[in-house]
């Protein structure tokens, strides 16, 4: 028999009557993510999803890494199937885990008997396999509390499976089960993290980015696309809609008080994201705002920027400090790209003394000097869509 990947379910296992729909979506996501590594058979039994090579040319290493980034999976393990006989299980453990057993100083065996027709209980099987492994690797000591290595034996319907400890996976819920949303993607640290966190709740994302050439460079645009590429292994396929924003910013600078530049700019971003969401049948907006981090992210400022949309605005990093956000950015692989020195449109025409306690009515009055509908319409007409797979 050949190696197989065992994917352990997280929250999906707690679902009720609709659990099967979550599992079906999860298996569909796994098939798509592993397809470029070869042909795999993906199926579900007894709260575990099996990813089994269906050909000799499969890249199991690549598929294993991909499975760890699929939301809905809490842990993954590479395992070797064998016959449901104690001698076969022992022989498989000896050979398959030989290197790990040789390197360890202490060990234990944990067994799970999902097939209740197997003649030994879980404890009996663990003791029998553990005793014979101790004889085969006499340098090992048994430590049931803090072993260097735990040998796992799972006796299931089709076979028995032997593996070392599983590795943590992405967790969360399968993408596609939480609806669709438009995420505002800048070139900073926060918005990619916010996108990742919302995708982890099963939300399929459409990305929107605001570009302001000639004030922003081609490198700044490529930086944002690279951030989106780095999110693809977690979020799946992504479309990035790039909206021209320079005309809007110039009109704001000409017609509005300087201390309100950023706030009015944010309101236009929300209007454009709202328009895209309605075009694409998305049901929420996602931002990387963190309460109090900058002047446009005070409670009053958030109320002003959110005033222009009646869609839910999801702010997953709202209560996090910068260190927490940076830690997640490093984990998902976006941090080094985020800190590249290519500024995005948020840094264009930045006010010297931004308003921190604005009033909605006051800002609405200021915007009467602008052709709001015309600016939004022209920006949306000039949008470009970049598809990332």
């Amino acid at each position: 028999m050949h190696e197989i990947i065992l994917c352990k379910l997280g929250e999906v296992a707690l679902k009720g009557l609709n659990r099967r729909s979550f599992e079906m979506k999860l298996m569909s996501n796994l098939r798509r993510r592993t397809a470029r590594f070869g042909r795999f058979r993906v199926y579900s039994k007894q709260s575990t999803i099996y990813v089994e090579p269906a050909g000799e040319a499969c890249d199991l290493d690549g598929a294993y890494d991909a499975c760890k980034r699929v939301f809905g999976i809490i842990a993954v393990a590479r395992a070797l199937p064998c016959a449901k006989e104690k001698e076969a299980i022992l022989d498989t453990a000896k050979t398959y885990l030989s290197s790990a057993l040789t390197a360890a100083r202490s060990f234990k065996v944990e067994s799970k008997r999902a097939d209740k027709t197997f003649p030994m209980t879980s404890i009996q099987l663990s003791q029998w396999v553990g005793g014979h492994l101790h004889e085969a690797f006499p340098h090992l000591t048994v430590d049931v509390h803090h072993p260097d290595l735990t040998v796992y034996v799972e006796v299931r319907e089709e076979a028995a499976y032997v593996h070392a400890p599983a590795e943590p996976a992405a967790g969360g819920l399968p993408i596609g089960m939480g609806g669709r949303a438009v995420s505002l993607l800048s070139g900073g640290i926060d918005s990619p993290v916010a996108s990742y966190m919302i995708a982890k709740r099963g939300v399929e994302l459409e990305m929107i980015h605001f570009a302001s050439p000639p004030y922003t460079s081609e490198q700044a645009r490529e930086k944002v696309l690279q951030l989106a590429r780095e999110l693809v292994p977690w979020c799946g396929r992504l479309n990035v809609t790039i909206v021209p924003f320079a005309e809007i910013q110039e009109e704001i600078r000409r017609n509005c008080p300087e201390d309100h530049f950023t706030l009015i700019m944010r309101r236009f971003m929300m209007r454009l994201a709202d328009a895209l969401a309605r075009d694409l049948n998305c049901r929420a907006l996602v931002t990387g705002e963190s309460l109090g981090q900058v002047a446009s992210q005070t409670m009053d400022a958030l109320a002003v920027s959110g005033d222009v949309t009646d869609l839910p605005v999801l702010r997953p990093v709202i209560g996090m400090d910068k260190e927490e956000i940076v830690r997640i950015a490093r984990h998902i692989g976006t941090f080094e790209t985020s800190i590249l020195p290519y500024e995005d449109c948020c840094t264009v025409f930045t006010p010297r003394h931004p308003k921190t306690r604005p009033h909605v009515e006051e800002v609405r009055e200021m915007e009467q000097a602008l052709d709001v509908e015309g600016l939004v319409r022209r920006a949306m007409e000039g949008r470009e869509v970049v598809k990332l797979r």
Side-chain angles (χ1 to χ4, degrees):
M1 293 186 177
H2 46 66
E3 263 189 303
I4 192 172
I5 301 172
L6 303 181
C7 299
K8 305 296 184 178
L9 302 182
E11 288 182 61
V12 173
L14 304 177
K15 297 298 177 183
L17 297 177
N18 61 346
R19 171 174 164 173
R20 188 58 183 168
S21 62
F22 280 80
E23 290 181 344
M24 294 297 289
K25 174 59 73 174
L26 183 49
M27 287 189 287
S28 173
N29 293 346
L30 282 165
R31 289 187 189 99
R32 188 166 59 248
R33 300 286 188 90
T34 58
R36 66 192 180 100
F37 301 107
R39 193 161 56 90
F40 291 88
R41 179 182 171 223
V42 179
Y43 55 97
S44 173
K45 287 187 178 181
Q46 297 174 309
S47 298
T48 297
I49 293 180
Y50 301 75
V51 180
E52 180 180 355
E56 295 299 322
C58 292
D59 176 5
L60 199 68
D61 291 339
Y64 182 71
D65 286 338
C67 289
K68 287 194 287 187
R69 296 184 180 190
V70 174
F71 292 125
I73 302 297
I74 197 170
V76 294
R78 292 173 66 148
L80 191 64
C82 64
K84 293 189 288 186
E85 302 167 357
K86 63 180 183 180
E87 291 81 5
I89 292 169
L90 174 61
D91 289 342
T92 301
K94 284 181 182 179
T95 55
Y96 182 56
L97 299 179
S98 174
S99 297
L101 288 163
T102 300
R105 292 172 297 177
S106 60
F107 84 113
K108 73 172 179 177
V109 177
E110 283 194 10
S111 300
K112 180 179 180 181
R113 188 184 61 142
D115 180 1
K116 301 306 180 185
T117 65
F118 189 76
M120 302 173 76
T121 67
S122 297
I123 294 175
Q124 289 171 338
L125 181 59
S126 294
Q127 291 173 338
W128 190 86
V129 172
H132 284 78
L133 286 178
H134 192 235
E135 291 177 6
F137 299 87
H139 72 284
L140 288 171
T141 59
V142 176
D143 184 346
V144 297
H145 299 295
H146 304 289
D148 290 342
L149 174 67
T150 300
V151 175
Y152 290 90
V153 176
E154 301 186 33
V155 182
R156 294 180 169 271
E157 286 183 2
E158 293 189 355
Y161 301 87
V162 176
H163 62 87
E167 292 190 41
L173 295 171
I175 286 179
M177 296 305 294
R180 301 176 70 220
V182 169
S183 184
L184 284 72
L185 183 65
S186 72
I189 298 171
D190 302 346
S191 61
V193 171
S195 300
Y196 159 84
M197 292 179 69
I198 285 298
K200 188 173 183 177
R201 301 311 304 157
V203 177
E204 183 180 350
L205 293 177
E206 295 281 345
M207 317 301 281
I208 187 170
H209 173 67
F210 307 99
S212 296
Y215 304 106
T216 57
S217 65
E218 182 62 28
Q219 291 98 322
R221 168 194 162 100
E222 181 54 35
K223 172 185 174 180
V224 169
L225 292 177
Q226 180 59 28
L227 285 171
R229 292 186 194 103
E230 290 162 354
L231 287 171
V232 166
W234 302 99
C235 302
R237 299 170 292 186
L238 289 176
N239 296 328
V240 182
T241 298
I242 301 174
V243 179
F245 204 63
E247 182 190 5
I248 291 173
Q249 290 182 293
E250 289 169 345
E251 285 297 300
I252 294 171
R253 181 178 61 171
R254 275 195 290 266
N255 295 286
C256 300
E258 182 188 356
D259 61 350
H260 282 74
F261 281 0
T262 302
L263 278 168
I264 297 173
M265 180 185 74
R266 290 292 299 175
R267 283 167 64 87
F268 272 95
M269 289 180 174
M270 299 297 277
R271 287 187 179 101
L272 292 163
D274 180 278
L276 181 64
R278 295 182 191 282
D279 282 353
L280 299 178
N281 197 30
C282 295
R283 297 168 59 188
L285 307 181
V286 182
T287 75
E289 292 159 320
S290 174
L291 187 63
Q293 188 177 108
V294 294
S296 63
Q297 295 175 16
T298 63
M299 282 191 184
D300 295 315
L302 292 174
V304 168
S305 61
D307 169 62
V308 298
T309 178
D310 57 8
L311 290 174
V313 181
L314 309 178
R315 299 180 172 100
V317 303
I318 193 71
M320 300 175 68
D321 64 31
K322 202 66 176 183
E323 286 303 311
E324 292 173 295
I325 298 171
V326 166
R327 185 163 60 247
I328 296 173
R330 291 185 186 278
H331 169 66
I332 64 177
T334 58
F335 178 74
E336 295 300 329
T337 301
S338 290
I339 62 173
L340 291 174
Y342 306 121
E343 297 179 330
D344 59 29
C345 71
C346 295
T347 60
V348 178
F349 310 140
T350 303
R352 290 165 293 179
H353 303 291
K355 190 80 169 178
T356 58
R357 293 192 174 183
H359 300 285
V360 171
E361 294 78 9
E362 185 181 21
V363 176
R364 288 174 181 167
E365 186 175 338
M366 293 174 186
E367 288 181 339
Q368 290 179 6
L370 303 170
D371 177 15
V372 173
E373 291 186 5
L375 289 168
V376 170
R377 184 184 68 254
R378 289 192 293 276
M380 292 301 288
E381 288 172 351
R383 64 187 168 181
E384 172 195 356
V385 180
V386 179
K387 297 183 178 183
L388 303 175
R389 299 290 181 265

